[in-house]
Amino acid sequence: MELNNTSSKWKVIASGIIPFVFIILMMVYIFGPGADLLDFGVALPEITIEKVDFVDSEIQATVRNTGPIPIEVVMADVNDRIQPAAVEPDRFLERFETTLVRIPFEWNEAEPYTIGITIEDGTRFEKKIEAAAPALELTFDLAIFFAIIGTYVGIIPVMIGLLWLPFIKKISKQKYHFFLALTAGLLLFLAIDSIEEAVEISDESLADSFNGTLLVSTAVVLSFLGLYYSGNKLVKLADSSKLTKPVMIALMISIGIGLHNFGEGLAIGAAVGMGSVAFSTFLIVGFALHNTTEGIAIAAPMSRGKLMLGKLAAMGLIAGSPAIFGAWIGGFVYSPFTSVIFLAIGAGAIFQVIVVILKWIQEESDKNLSSLAVISGFAAGMLVMYLTSILI
Amino acid sequence: MILLISLVIGFSVIALFPTFSDAQSEPKTFVTHSGAVVQTSGEIIDPLYAVSTVDFDPMEYLRNFNYGQVSELPDGTVVREFTIIAEDDKIMEVSPGVFYNVWTFNGTVPGPTIRATEGDLLRINFINNGSKEHTMHFHGIHPAEMDGVFEPVGGNGGRFLYEFEAGPVGVHPYHCHVMPLEEHIVHGLYGVFIVDPKEERQPADEMIMVLNGLDTDFDTENNFYAANTIPFYYQHHPIQINTNELIRVYVVNMVEFDPINNFHLHGNLYKYYPTGTDLVPSFYTDMITLSQTERGIMEFEYNYPGKYLFHAHKVEFSEKGWVGIFLVSENSKKNTQELVRGT
């Protein structure tokens, strides 16, 4: 009997492994003796200039081989005029390898530049920079500057939004559902906004081989699933701990919004770093107005419990302060790839929060998600976000 | 024993390897436009100032004139025979590290400079070893069937004998005239044809400069410009000439895509003979404008030694390779003559 059991176990394992063995055999054949069969067509080399930094008397381009074959960087130009340059560590790039091309050049601030890189077959690739701005150096003053911007667009608006709590506390159940749905609407808008931003960055700065849109989709879904799973665990934990369910939901909302604000901070820091945005007071006011609505999102679920000022403030910080960290990272060590990933993770987190809120409403309102309060709240949320987004 | 030897070899390789990699990461320096010295731990990619050589030697081409195999007809006419072989499969390093498929007459871009005296009989045995059809079309005066347009010569060994009397006096281009013409020209199927007057020109240090461009990524815009194909070559290999010696430059503009090219000389002016057909110069200038296949002869002498630039004053072209330097040395011989004359 036992023997039988082990042998059937082995059969299961074997039947699971056999297909893999064939896949490996096929790959070995295709890359080995069968390579000639697939050897048609011309493999076109491709490089991507991922990043251009303007430093003291020098322009530095980070170049990645994003094509199917190894390449050699042989020449650099600025505005289509050939320049002497250095490549570090060397000019030979395997697939996905990067190198730094240093072009000594007396550039002028705020002027547009096109950086060109020519490879060994004579193909020239270029990247346009709208306005040259000195690469940000990590100084104390600048770190403070980013912290202030982060506070303005992140923490302060969220805290202001939280001040609606007493108001939401006093309203009827119907109106309360309206505000919960409004929150879901706001968040949905933020998620779509994050995805759009991520796709935009991947289109502009990531090579095609990263499959930008699919990368964003994968990161969004994985982040959603991860948070959905751990969120449920947390809620179960909440049942046995001192934290009430509304607090748990509010906490999850603030984490989701925090991730979103981190992405927003990245975008702001990177924009300042790349010189494409001059920060006007108007812009900051726009972001602040926009983000005030995020405070409502946190306040809404909390309004049904006891007033817990300390917890509320902590959640405001969780939601708002990532904007500061985002601005630091975006400004000092910007990389388009990490921006895309963070924005997508933020979007996934928000989708998860939306699901949690909708479930919460469903429980509160006797399984009715199609009441006028809920529908109009959701719609109002989207509209408010859209209207405030015009200000940015 | 074998084990011992292999161990010794193994250890010595391991011991030596770091030295190799150390040697590689030794910092190198290069000089920028503005003269600043830049240090790098990596590699230098500098086609402008770093002395480098490629397959084709523009210095050798500069003063290389081919007079052909000379014989005489019973009536005293000089016959000059040339063999020109076309190919279209050569991959040439046209600038350090940049490889481009050139189509060539006798293996080079530009093809050999064919030189004859007015009235000579030219016999050009054209062999097409390329894979496409090619011809030789000379600018000048000749019978219609020698024009190299309606008589395409098949590839893989096709032959044609171009036979005509050299004329008129001047400097002319020759090039392949098979359609699509632009493709055949930009890949390099062209060269210079000089017809000397029967009464020789004044002795001079003579040179040929074909102004050309290379569209290495086929976007109908030139990636490189040059005098004699290799960008920046005469900048890092200055052309050596002497003071008080007549310099004669045969200039032919073969640039495609861009409607004009030009030639600016520093610290001097030149006498310019458009197409070289007249023996009296038309201009005394330091700047001429040349359209497609427009050409002429320049004559000048330097009085002061030193380094003088010459380049396209369409600066885009010069910053993409069409720039060079005349390095003028004191001419001791001429100076003595002047001293003699002076006393």
Side-chain angles (χ1 to χ4, degrees):
Chain A
M1 193 63 195
E2 208 154 75
L3 201 85
N4 234 349
N5 238 345
T6 44
S7 80
S8 69
K9 205 172 171 188
W10 278 113
K11 269 182 191 161
V12 171
I13 292 174
S15 59
I17 287 175
I18 284 169
F20 280 112
V21 172
F22 277 97
I23 288 175
I24 290 166
L25 278 177
M26 187 189 85
M27 293 205 310
V28 167
Y29 177 74
I30 286 176
F31 285 115
D36 291 347
L37 285 175
L38 299 171
D39 193 17
F40 56 83
V42 185
L44 287 179
E46 189 197 275
I47 59 167
T48 304
I49 303 171
E50 289 192 337
K51 204 169 135 213
V52 176
D53 287 320
F54 293 84
V55 296
D56 194 26
S57 302
E58 197 168 303
I59 299 175
Q60 298 185 338
T62 307
V63 178
R64 188 187 293 275
N65 177 3
T66 45
I69 48 174
I71 62 103
E72 213 178 302
V73 171
V74 296
M75 201 169 75
D77 68 72
V78 176
N79 293 340
D80 205 15
R81 308 292 183 265
I82 299 166
Q83 303 288 333
V87 236
E88 292 171 0
D90 64 76
R91 65 180 199 278
F92 299 97
L93 290 185
E94 291 297 320
R95 288 191 72 182
F96 298 115
E97 208 182 335
T98 62
T99 194
L100 182 74
V101 180
R102 295 174 51 203
I103 313 167
F105 195 88
E106 300 294 337
W107 49 274
N108 303 318
E109 200 163 330
E111 281 181 23
Y113 287 98
T114 302
I115 309 304
I117 299 290
T118 302
I119 62 168
E120 81 281 6
D121 73 347
T123 316
R124 178 177 174 273
F125 298 86
E126 64 172 38
K127 183 169 177 86
K128 288 191 176 74
I129 307 298
E130 281 168 33
L136 297 183
E137 275 170 56
L138 188 73
T139 62
F140 185 69
D141 286 350
L142 204 60
I144 294 287
F145 170 72
F146 275 132
I148 291 172
I149 289 185
T151 310
Y152 269 125
V153 304
I155 298 174
I156 294 179
V158 173
M159 292 298 189
I160 292 174
L162 287 175
L163 294 179
W164 265 296
L165 185 77
F167 168 73
I168 301 172
K169 247 177 160 11
K170 293 198 179 82
I171 55 179
S172 70
K173 199 176 179 185
Q174 277 299 315
K175 284 179 189 136
Y176 175 58
H177 290 160
F178 170 83
F179 274 101
L180 278 179
L182 177 90
T183 300
L186 302 176
L187 291 170
L188 181 63
F189 187 93
L190 284 183
I192 296 170
D193 187 32
S194 296
I195 291 174
E196 192 200 3
E197 181 79 36
V199 170
E200 209 169 275
I201 293 176
S202 68
D203 277 352
E204 267 171 30
S205 303
L206 284 189
D208 291 347
S209 57
F210 279 110
N211 298 332
T213 314
L214 292 175
L215 173 71
V216 172
S217 322
T218 308
V220 168
V221 171
L222 286 186
S223 140
F224 172 83
L225 291 174
L227 288 167
Y228 187 70
Y229 178 76
S230 48
N232 276 350
K233 279 262 148 114
L234 268 179
V235 171
K236 284 207 182 96
L237 214 77
D239 294 339
S240 57
S241 76
K242 286 187 292 182
L243 293 173
T244 58
K245 196 164 182 196
V247 175
M248 283 320 295
I249 288 173
L251 180 63
M252 274 189 274
I253 292 177
S254 21
I255 291 172
I257 290 176
L259 281 169
H260 170 81
N261 278 346
F262 184 79
E264 219 159 57
L266 274 180
I268 291 170
V272 174
M274 292 188 289
S276 58
V277 170
F279 254 87
S280 64
T281 34
F282 179 75
L283 205 63
I284 291 178
V285 169
F287 259 115
L289 260 182
H290 190 62
N291 288 0
T292 304
T293 50
E294 294 169 357
I296 304 177
I298 300 169
M302 291 280 278
S303 63
R304 279 304 176 257
K306 277 197 305 201
L307 183 62
M308 291 172 284
L309 272 182
K311 287 208 175 78
L312 209 58
M315 282 177 199
L317 280 179
I318 290 172
S321 58
I324 299 176
F325 298 109
W328 281 339
I329 293 178
F332 297 128
V333 284
Y334 180 78
S335 124
F337 185 76
T338 44
S339 295
V340 169
I341 293 292
F342 274 116
L343 285 167
I345 288 176
I350 291 172
F351 281 129
Q352 183 262 345
V353 172
I354 293 171
V355 170
V356 171
I357 294 175
L358 290 181
K359 268 186 174 170
W360 175 246
I361 299 176
Q362 207 173 19
E363 279 174 30
E364 284 263 311
S365 62
D366 314 317
K367 315 269 175 217
N368 183 11
L369 268 182
S370 54
S371 70
L372 185 64
V374 174
I375 299 293
S376 60
F378 214 109
M382 290 291 285
L383 262 175
V384 167
M385 285 312 256
Y386 176 71
L387 292 176
T388 54
S389 76
I390 295 175
L391 291 176
I392 297 174
Chain B
M1 190 60 198
I2 294 166
L3 189 77
L4 192 73
I5 290 172
S6 55
L7 269 179
V8 168
I9 291 172
F11 274 118
S12 47
V13 165
I14 292 165
L16 279 173
F17 191 71
T19 5
F20 286 139
S21 50
D22 274 354
Q24 274 178 347
S25 65
E26 220 168 74
K28 302 175 200 81
T29 56
F30 66 103
V31 179
T32 71
H33 284 318
S34 50
V37 179
V38 175
Q39 255 202 6
T40 174
S41 59
E43 291 181 79
I44 294 158
I45 43 172
D46 174 20
L48 290 85
Y49 305 110
V51 178
S52 52
T53 49
V54 291
D55 297 355
F56 175 65
D57 183 359
M59 207 50 91
E60 197 198 311
Y61 174 81
L62 187 72
R63 294 184 174 102
N64 190 4
F65 302 94
N66 299 279
Y67 293 90
Q69 191 155 355
V70 184
S71 59
E72 223 168 84
L73 290 183
D75 68 353
T77 306
V78 175
V79 180
R80 296 183 188 275
E81 281 190 57
F82 298 85
T83 301
I84 303 285
I85 300 168
E87 284 170 313
D88 51 28
D89 61 349
K90 192 175 175 179
I91 303 289
M92 190 176 96
E93 189 177 14
V94 289
S95 177
V98 180
F99 293 83
Y100 176 67
N101 171 215
V102 284
W103 299 2
T104 58
F105 287 128
N106 284 7
T108 60
V109 179
T113 299
I114 295 173
R115 192 160 183 177
T117 305
E118 189 183 24
D120 290 353
L121 183 65
L122 292 177
R123 279 194 187 137
I124 292 156
N125 297 298
F126 177 59
I127 304 166
N128 180 6
N129 282 344
S131 58
K132 298 175 189 316
E133 290 181 335
H134 297 299
T135 65
M136 289 182 81
H137 159 72
F138 287 80
H139 287 213
I141 300 166
H142 46 244
E145 62 273 21
M146 292 297 145
D147 200 37
V149 174
F150 304 112
E151 308 78 16
V153 183
N156 305 313
R159 284 165 177 267
F160 195 90
L161 178 66
Y162 295 99
E163 196 175 37
F164 55 90
E165 193 182 296
V169 165
V171 52
H172 312 290
Y174 68 84
H175 58 87
C176 175
H177 210 300
V178 168
M179 298 300 280
L181 183 55
E182 194 175 58
E183 180 185 73
H184 286 249
I185 291 178
V186 295
H187 273 89
L189 287 173
Y190 48 80
V192 177
F193 169 44
I194 296 172
V195 182
D196 289 319
K198 280 181 177 146
E199 197 175 318
E200 277 180 40
R201 293 181 200 268
Q202 201 185 334
D205 182 359
E206 295 196 321
M207 49 192 83
I208 320 144
M209 286 192 199
V210 174
L211 311 184
N212 47 5
L214 294 164
D215 173 22
T216 54
D217 53 7
F218 313 104
D219 60 355
T220 67
E221 273 178 38
N222 287 308
N223 295 57
F224 298 97
Y225 297 87
N228 299 339
T229 309
I230 310 300
F232 303 107
Y233 192 84
Y234 298 123
Q235 182 159 270
H236 46 76
H237 287 81
I239 299 172
Q240 308 213 1
I241 57 173
N242 296 315
T243 53
N244 304 310
E245 184 175 10
L246 182 65
I247 309 297
R248 182 176 296 127
V249 184
Y250 296 90
V251 184
V252 181
N253 178 38
M254 290 307 297
V255 160
E256 276 295 332
F257 308 121
D258 301 282
I260 61 154
N261 200 343
N262 51 35
F263 192 123
H264 168 55
L265 183 65
H266 278 225
N268 213 339
L269 278 77
Y270 48 80
K271 289 174 185 154
Y272 186 63
Y273 306 79
T275 320
T277 42
D278 207 328
L279 299 181
V280 181
S282 304
F283 304 107
Y284 183 55
T285 178
D286 62 4
M287 181 68 198
I288 51 156
T289 301
L290 298 160
S291 175
Q292 268 68 43
T293 71
E294 209 173 343
R295 68 280 185 185
I297 300 172
M298 299 171 172
E299 286 180 349
F300 54 91
E301 271 183 50
Y302 273 99
N303 297 324
Y304 308 110
K307 282 204 287 192
Y308 297 93
L309 272 184
F310 60 96
H311 62 90
H313 222 301
K314 165 79 179 127
V315 181
E316 180 197 352
F317 297 2
S318 59
E319 295 197 12
K320 286 161 97 172
W322 166 192
V323 56
I325 292 171
F326 282 119
L327 181 60
V328 186
S329 313
E330 201 75 59
N331 186 345
S332 48
K333 197 174 70 189
K334 285 276 168 95
N335 278 349
T336 343
Q337 281 180 347
E338 268 178 11
L339 277 176
V340 170
R341 214 181 295 149
T343 50

